[in-house]
Amino acid sequence: MVESRDELIFLLTEAAALEHSLMCQYLFAAFSLKQSADEGVTHEQMNYIADWERFLLMVARQEMEHLGLVCNLLTAVGAAPYLAHPNFPYRTTLFSHAMSLEAFSEATIKKFICFERPETIEPEDAFCNEPLAVHLTVLKDVSPVPVPYKTVGELYDAIVDGFAELTKRGVKLIIGPGSAQVTGTQLNTDFVRRGGQGGGYDIFMVPVTDIESAHRVLDRIIEQGESARNHGESSHFETFLRILKQFQKLQQDDPDFQPARPVVPNPVLYPDGTPHQTAITSQNGRGVLDLLNGAYEVLLLLLIRFFAHSDETTVEIAQLQAAAFFPFMTMVIRPITEVLMSLPAFDGGGPERAGPNFEFYRNVNYLPHRRAAWQVLYERMVELTETCQALSKQPEMPPRLGYIAESLKLITMRFQSLLHL
């Protein structure tokens, strides 16, 4: 039982890291999929692949929404937004599968089915065949103690019960300023839409202003996401089961059918001894992966600024969104990822492709002072622009990187203009 605000905050940060990690894995699988029949698939197979990609990107969008809603909950209870996660791959106390970045495959689909398992489905019926860990360490008094749960639903149930129990005890939980939350349709996520595919990817952020709205937000996450207690035909769980059957049928008809590019799992620049990492050794692959890591860090710093801004006015926040945040997702992060997945992973070429790792090399912390925060963000954008320009001139680098450098330059100039508000 959750008995303090600190315990509740700990559980919410666990939920935030979980949603963030799931989003990254769905994006990785989606962007690994082939994009045309010219890549060794038939037009009929390509129709299935396009449908699978759309669904994966839709699920990633929902995980992004859940992450944002959890950040609003954290702000409401007096904490800071939490946008960190362990570097991939890593194991959790929740799933029988590791949190791991892997290309689309039968094994990956089965892992996602396990992730999306409703409480009413037995683990073995959702490819969760290894023993599930049953506890999470949370703060209690001074020393940690285990709190049991087996599914995402149970994690959120503990959070719901925590809100209810602490409110019953008379704790005034909602103490954070509503003005510091992200609300409305503010996170347009064309970031997860590729080639004009899909639609309806706006994220609607619900404010948390009292205990009733906190419960409404939690209900939305539970019923929409992987923690749903029931599973209808349109649920993530059932849809992934259908994708698995479609994939198996296509492979039965054509044993050579491969819907994904040979993107290496868990790509890293600097292996640290963690099992199942893949070191990227090609010069161009390393350069673009390094660029993407820097861009991802800036994106998260911008996102933290939205969820925990200080004295920015409503106009300044809107201008920050228009000048930097939205364009950064659509014009920088997504196209750099696509370039990266077209590059060789290893020296000497070969079919293996590089990929993103969503890695943290330094802590992505809240920058507390508005003027200083904006200056730091501007300087990092300048650094990214110069790095991208230099990379675009490297031999055998895709020409698209030059266009990305121009987009970065434009975004940086727009952002610079905000420094004079």
Side-chain angles (χ1 to χ4, degrees):
M1 179 182 295
V2 175
E3 297 185 355
S4 72
R5 187 187 302 272
D6 283 346
E7 292 181 30
L8 182 60
I9 289 172
F10 188 93
L11 286 173
L12 285 169
T13 58
E14 177 73 9
L18 175 64
E19 302 289 3
H20 196 168
S21 295
L22 291 172
M23 180 192 76
C24 291
Q25 290 172 91
Y26 292 136
L27 288 175
F28 191 96
F31 283 102
S32 74
L33 287 164
K34 294 175 179 177
Q35 290 300 294
S36 74
D38 296 335
E39 297 185 71
V41 293
T42 68
H43 289 287
E44 180 184 3
Q45 290 168 343
M46 194 62 230
N47 288 334
Y48 282 100
I49 293 172
D51 284 341
W52 299 341
E53 181 189 42
R54 278 193 291 269
F55 177 71
L56 280 166
L57 295 181
M58 182 272 291
V59 177
R61 186 273 298 170
Q62 290 186 347
E63 304 302 347
M64 188 181 295
E65 179 179 295
H66 299 165
L67 173 59
L69 292 172
V70 172
C71 285
N72 274 357
L73 286 163
L74 281 163
T75 298
V77 299
Y82 190 81
L83 294 177
H85 60 70
N87 287 332
F88 297 100
Y90 70 95
R91 299 200 71 86
T92 74
T93 60
L94 182 61
F95 298 116
S96 61
H97 298 273
M99 293 290 189
S100 179
L101 300 172
E102 298 166 344
F104 187 98
S105 67
E106 181 172 351
T108 304
I109 304 168
K110 289 179 177 178
K111 178 177 73 170
F112 293 163
I113 290 170
C114 179
F115 286 174
E116 300 289 342
R117 177 177 73 91
E119 297 174 6
T120 55
I121 300 296
E122 293 298 322
E124 58 270 20
D125 294 329
F127 306 103
C128 303
N129 296 321
E130 302 171 30
L132 288 172
V134 296
H135 72 273
L136 168 73
T137 298
V138 302
L139 299 175
K140 183 178 178 66
D141 297 327
V142 176
S143 301
V145 297
V147 171
Y149 75 94
K150 296 180 182 179
T151 67
V152 182
E154 290 183 14
L155 170 60
Y156 277 105
D157 283 345
I159 293 172
V160 170
D161 291 344
F163 271 95
E165 178 64 24
L166 294 176
T167 301
K168 181 180 177 181
R169 296 184 187 184
V171 177
K172 184 180 179 182
L173 279 176
I174 310 302
I175 59 176
S179 61
Q181 298 179 40
V182 175
T183 60
T185 310
Q186 296 184 4
L187 296 180
N188 180 293
T189 53
D190 196 49
F191 166 52
V192 296
R193 185 186 309 165
R194 181 159 59 162
Q197 296 182 15
Y201 283 172
D202 285 347
I203 285 178
F204 187 75
M205 298 301 301
V206 181
V208 179
T209 56
D210 51 33
I211 195 66
E212 288 77 16
S213 57
H215 282 291
R216 285 196 297 271
V217 164
L218 288 165
D219 286 343
R220 179 180 177 87
I221 295 172
I222 290 169
E223 294 307 319
Q224 185 184 64
E226 66 287 330
S227 53
R229 297 177 179 87
N230 301 307
H231 56 100
E233 291 185 2
S234 62
S235 69
H236 297 175
F237 178 77
E238 291 293 341
T239 303
F240 275 125
L241 284 176
R242 285 197 295 274
I243 289 175
L244 177 62
K245 291 177 181 178
Q246 292 169 351
F247 178 81
Q248 291 172 333
K249 177 65 166 59
L250 290 171
Q251 277 213 320
Q252 182 180 356
D253 295 341
D254 178 5
D256 295 327
F257 171 59
Q258 294 294 337
R261 297 166 176 169
V263 181
V264 298
N266 304 304
V268 295
L269 287 172
Y270 307 105
D272 60 8
T274 301
H276 309 298
Q277 290 179 333
T278 305
I280 303 301
T281 59
S282 71
Q283 181 178 352
N284 284 350
R286 289 180 64 83
V288 176
L289 178 54
D290 183 54
L291 174 69
L292 180 59
N293 284 338
Y296 189 62
E297 178 194 34
V298 170
L299 176 65
L300 293 179
L301 288 172
L302 286 166
L303 190 57
I304 289 174
R305 199 73 202 159
F306 285 116
F307 281 104
H309 52 268
S310 56
D311 58 340
E312 285 96 341
T313 66
T314 302
V315 172
E316 287 172 336
I317 288 295
Q319 290 176 318
L320 186 64
Q321 292 176 187
F325 183 62
F326 294 158
F328 213 81
M329 287 196 294
T330 60
M331 299 167 64
V332 178
I333 299 293
R334 187 186 69 192
I336 293 177
T337 300
E338 293 173 355
V339 168
L340 181 62
M341 284 185 154
S342 73
L343 295 173
F346 306 126
D347 284 331
E352 297 86 0
R353 302 291 96 180
N357 58 20
F358 307 101
E359 194 163 12
F360 297 108
Y361 289 108
R362 48 191 168 185
N363 289 333
V364 181
N365 292 325
Y366 173 58
L367 303 175
H369 311 294
R370 178 179 64 87
R371 183 60 59 181
W374 287 30
Q375 183 66 35
V376 167
L377 287 166
Y378 168 68
E379 291 174 1
R380 292 192 182 177
M381 289 180 185
V382 170
E383 180 184 12
L384 288 174
T385 302
E386 294 173 348
T387 301
C388 192
Q389 289 172 335
L391 283 173
S392 69
K393 299 174 183 177
Q394 295 295 318
E396 300 182 0
M397 191 67 78
R400 189 178 183 188
L401 206 61
Y403 297 110
I404 299 172
E406 290 302 311
S407 296
L408 265 168
K409 182 178 180 180
L410 176 62
I411 294 169
T412 302
M413 291 173 59
R414 289 178 177 174
F415 189 82
Q416 182 184 26
S417 69
L418 299 181
L419 298 176
H420 305 294
L421 286 172

